[in-house]
Amino acid sequence: MRKHRGWIVLLCCAFLYFSLPAAVHTRVADGVSAAVSWVKRQVAPSAEKAAPHQSSTTSASTASTAATAKEAIVPTGKLAARYTYSFAPHTDRTVQQLFTAALNIYNQTDIVKLTPGSTGQFTNHLTLSSYQKVQTNGEAVILGLGGPQITRWTGAKQATVNHASARLNLAYRSRLNVATAVHELGHALGLAHSTAPDSVMFPTDRNVSKLSPADLAGLRAIYSR
Ligand SMILES: [Zn+2]
């Protein structure tokens, strides 16, 4: 009780916080180059391109034993393993099913715990949704978006919180699969792209929905604290 009262008082004081920007991925269709840049927090979280199936010509990529890298903005060992998640209003039913399957895959790792629920200021949350955007520039088809949004609270209450989002593009409904949902959730949880073909974080869609040992190691690095 005393603890609770203290928390309320502190809430009235100014919490100092700063937010780190969400990551944006850009990627060319053939899988040759990948770049990461940063946008302001308010801008659409993480954009990345998933090219048409099996279009990668990357030659030297072999399964890596190193942990899948994390997004630069994601701290190591600071985030709680528990997340709530919710679907944005009007999220397409098929997209909900794909994300639900992907959420189960992550829950089975016992590294993170994702449960339905509303967002909280000091707790991790995932917002899942669908959208429609047709590529008009002749570049790679974008199947989904996903990324973390990290806020670090300092001062009275110390917390590092991820309010992430992941979306699937209904303009390419027939190409959507669980693998893409797993990939976008991976970004939301903090994983970056991997050059290993067996990684769910390989940038182009190869229909890999099983987290590789490197992917699991990458998640553990973020969530073990
Ligand atoms: Zn990606």
Side-chain angles (χ1 to χ4, degrees):
M1 190 58 195
R2 186 178 166 195
K3 203 172 181 180
H4 179 69
R5 198 161 55 233
W7 188 80
I8 293 295
V9 170
L10 292 172
L11 191 63
C12 299
C13 304
F15 278 127
L16 300 176
Y17 76 98
F18 62 88
S19 297
L20 294 164
V24 164
H25 304 274
T26 56
R27 189 178 182 286
V28 297
D30 62 3
V32 171
S33 70
V36 176
S37 58
W38 311 112
V39 294
K40 289 188 184 300
R41 185 183 177 199
Q42 289 80 7
V43 178
S46 179
E48 54 103 7
K49 299 173 181 180
H53 301 268
Q54 306 294 343
S55 62
S56 172
T57 54
T58 307
S59 56
S61 293
T62 54
S64 170
T65 53
T68 299
K70 66 177 180 59
E71 295 283 8
I73 64 169
V74 174
T76 299
K78 297 278 191 195
L79 290 174
R82 290 188 170 276
Y83 280 78
T84 52
Y85 69 83
S86 58
F87 291 101
H90 314 299
T91 300
D92 175 81
R93 181 177 286 259
T94 301
V95 168
Q96 290 193 34
Q97 290 169 346
L98 294 174
F99 272 130
T100 298
L103 288 161
N104 287 338
I105 288 171
Y106 282 98
N107 276 331
Q108 285 166 12
T109 66
D110 286 329
I111 299 170
V112 289
K113 193 69 184 169
L114 315 163
T115 55
S118 54
T119 187
Q121 199 168 20
F122 300 117
T123 52
N124 295 329
H125 186 77
L126 293 167
T127 302
L128 310 171
S129 61
S130 51
Y131 72 104
Q132 295 222 33
K133 185 164 192 242
V134 178
Q135 293 312 112
T136 55
N137 55 10
E139 292 185 353
V141 167
I142 299 175
L143 296 176
L145 312 168
Q149 178 180 285
I150 306 294
T151 300
R152 188 169 0 156
W153 295 81
T154 61
K157 185 174 176 68
Q158 307 277 330
T160 301
V161 179
N162 183 13
H163 283 178
S165 62
R167 296 183 276 170
L168 295 181
N169 188 358
L170 281 176
Y172 303 100
R173 180 189 285 273
S174 64
R175 292 188 181 180
L176 296 181
N177 53 20
V178 174
T180 303
V182 168
H183 180 95
E184 301 308 342
L185 273 185
H187 281 312
L189 293 171
L191 295 177
H193 280 154
S194 168
T195 57
D198 67 331
S199 168
V200 301
M201 299 313 296
F202 192 78
T204 52
D205 181 24
R206 299 165 73 97
N207 202 17
V208 174
S209 58
K210 183 175 185 285
L211 294 159
S212 72
D215 295 335
L216 294 170
L219 274 182
R220 276 192 206 98
I222 296 170
Y223 291 100
S224 59
R225 61 172 192 171

